[in-house]
Amino acid sequence: MAKRRPPIRVQATSENQTVTTLELFFDLVFVFALTQVTALMADELSWHGVIRGVLLIGLLWWSWVGFAWLCNLVKADEGSIRAVMLAAMAAMFLIALAIPEAFHDLPGGLPGPVVIAVAYFAFRALHVVMFWLIADGDKVLRRTVARFAPAMLAGTALLLVASQFHGTTQTLLWAAALAADYGGTYLIDARGWRLNSPAHFAERHALILIIALGESIVAIGVGVTDLPISWPIIIASLLGLTVASALWWIYFDAAVHYGEQALAAEPLETRPKLARDAYTFLHFPMVAGVILLALGLKKVLEYVGDTEHHHLDDPLKGIGLFALFGGVVLYLLGHVGFKWRTTHTLGVSRLVTAALAVVAALTLSDVPALGQLAVLAGLLAALVAYESIHYARQRDELRHHHESAE
């Protein structure tokens, strides 16, 4: 009897799989897409505009995370998956190009909302079909993919319907599309998925967070691109870099290590559920928070540098103030949830800092924008200093254990 040929040529990952250069190349389109979202929110500085921006981040995140799961099972740079990755990149690049027209179609050319809906369907279809093919011989995984497909189809169909409407109706349909996609995934028994390499999965999410933090630094420069350098710009830029650096420290000093260790220690049967909760869902508020912060930083730099339209004593109000402080609050709350899910301990210091950031946003509405940013930088610097001293021994052991394990 002839041996059955596999439906597609792939190479399985090992437990110690590392991120490939093709995956890093794949991430470049998300750098561009996140930049487009920040610019869109800055151009439409309203609560409705921010909600739409967050919905776009949700769509981009769900696109990216699907391939993080896929490339944890098969090597991205081996076999047929390479062509699929490049095709998916092309679909995502089209989405990124059309982001300025995601909700308001510009005259002439193709309808932007339809382009996004069709490109998103192509991207997700590539993901689901590839998952189905590599699941050949694994009945449980195939059954899980089959249960997952209706949620994907419902989400993409609602996006296409949304493209035919405008205003609040369009936004609500977008929210329904993401709710169908996210909710359908959450309701599926996560034990049916597979996760070969905790190290690879943790590294993928760490790298995408670095990309988001890079967007916050880019926003500082973009905010003053056409403005002459001045002392207020220098001070605001350094304060913004301090905030971004603190957010980097909060994740990469410890969270990246205890998250990976928790995944590695989890039994194979329940590991996908932990990965889904701690990474697929709880990393989303971290990434969304950083992008909102990028918007806030961009507005601060405009306020302190654009002397024609603003004075140095002008405070950030409304959306700008919410983005600046609210982005950090969302990021910290994502960390609190991540730590609870992976270590079953409450991140009290980060919860307290998030609460103080909320109080600061409510009480500093009349303080100049530079002062508001300084307070935020001070809060995060205090958090970093406290945790560096209070948890020094535990974190030293955590990092050294991780290094010895490698």
Side-chain angles (χ1 to χ4, degrees):
M1 187 175 181
K3 186 178 179 180
R4 182 185 172 194
R5 291 184 62 188
I8 192 168
R9 189 168 64 89
V10 294
Q11 184 174 336
T13 56
S14 64
E15 186 176 353
N16 298 318
Q17 176 69 34
T18 58
V19 174
T20 64
T21 55
L22 180 55
E23 288 171 280
L24 297 176
F25 185 50
F26 180 81
D27 288 348
L28 293 180
V29 293
F30 289 89
V31 177
F32 175 51
L34 292 176
T35 301
Q36 290 278 75
V37 174
T38 305
L40 180 69
M41 289 192 291
D43 290 340
E44 189 182 345
L45 202 62
S46 66
W47 291 110
H48 198 184
V50 168
I51 291 171
R52 286 178 161 181
V54 172
L55 289 173
L56 276 166
I57 297 169
L59 181 140
L60 295 172
W61 174 254
W62 212 238
S63 304
W64 178 87
V65 83
F67 274 84
W69 281 88
L70 183 66
C71 294
N72 193 266
L73 292 184
V74 294
K75 292 184 178 180
D77 57 354
E78 297 282 351
S80 305
I81 186 67
R82 289 177 295 179
V84 174
M85 291 282 286
L86 294 172
M89 280 183 65
M92 182 49 55
F93 193 62
L94 292 179
I95 293 174
L97 286 174
I99 281 176
E101 299 181 69
F103 300 97
H104 299 292
D105 187 39
L106 298 177
L110 299 172
V114 175
V115 170
I116 286 183
V118 172
Y120 182 65
F121 172 77
F123 186 97
R124 298 301 306 283
L126 286 168
H127 168 244
V128 171
V129 170
M130 192 66 185
F131 238 123
W132 177 265
L133 292 175
I134 67 172
D136 183 53
D138 187 337
K139 292 182 179 179
V140 175
L141 180 55
R142 277 226 163 158
R143 186 165 58 246
T144 304
V145 173
R147 291 173 177 172
F148 171 77
M152 182 274 287
L153 291 171
T156 53
L158 282 169
L159 276 184
L160 193 57
V161 173
S163 68
Q164 305 305 306
F165 291 87
H166 304 281
T168 302
T169 301
Q170 184 186 32
T171 304
L172 290 174
L173 285 168
W174 262 73
L178 293 183
D181 231 345
Y182 279 62
T185 301
Y186 187 79
L187 292 174
I188 295 171
D189 187 356
R191 290 174 297 180
W193 296 110
R194 301 288 182 260
L195 192 78
N196 287 350
S197 174
H200 173 272
F201 203 70
E203 186 182 5
R204 285 299 285 132
H205 287 77
L207 290 172
I208 202 66
L209 194 58
I210 282 285
I211 285 174
L213 288 169
E215 171 58 20
S216 69
I217 294 174
V218 168
I220 296 172
V222 170
V224 293
T225 298
D226 300 320
L227 302 174
I229 193 72
S230 64
W231 280 112
I233 287 178
I234 290 174
I235 294 169
S237 298
L238 292 176
L239 287 172
L241 186 60
T242 299
V243 171
S245 300
L247 297 190
W248 171 89
W249 185 95
I250 288 167
Y251 188 87
F252 288 92
D253 184 63
V256 68
H257 301 308
Y258 64 64
E260 181 182 338
Q261 288 182 17
L263 267 187
E266 190 75 10
L268 286 174
E269 183 182 359
T270 55
R271 183 183 288 171
K273 184 177 181 181
L274 176 61
R276 181 200 66 183
D277 295 347
Y279 286 90
T280 299
F281 283 103
L282 287 172
H283 271 60
F284 172 61
M286 297 184 203
V287 172
V290 173
I291 302 305
L292 286 174
L293 170 67
L295 174 63
L297 290 174
K298 183 176 182 180
K299 300 313 293 183
V300 170
L301 268 295
E302 287 179 8
Y303 271 53
V304 302
D306 187 358
T307 55
E308 285 189 24
H309 301 94
H310 299 284
H311 298 286
L312 259 183
D313 56 356
D314 285 347
L316 278 182
K317 297 280 189 181
I319 307 301
L321 185 62
F322 161 79
L324 185 68
F325 283 88
V328 169
V329 169
L330 192 58
Y331 181 82
L332 291 174
L333 292 179
H335 271 278
V336 171
F338 178 69
K339 187 172 185 179
W340 178 260
R341 185 64 182 87
T342 52
T343 68
H344 307 293
T345 56
L346 186 64
V348 176
S349 56
R350 297 179 183 191
L351 199 57
V352 169
T353 304
L356 291 174
V358 171
V359 172
L362 294 174
T363 57
L364 299 177
S365 57
D366 294 326
V367 173
L370 193 58
Q372 293 168 335
L373 179 57
V375 170
L376 181 61
L379 281 174
L380 291 173
L383 173 63
V384 167
Y386 170 77
E387 292 189 350
S388 295
I389 297 169
H390 190 72
Y391 300 109
R393 185 169 152 188
Q394 296 96 314
R395 294 191 170 188
D396 187 56
E397 292 175 353
L398 178 68
R399 287 193 296 274
H400 288 162
H401 173 77
H402 179 77
E403 291 168 2
S404 62
E406 291 178 340

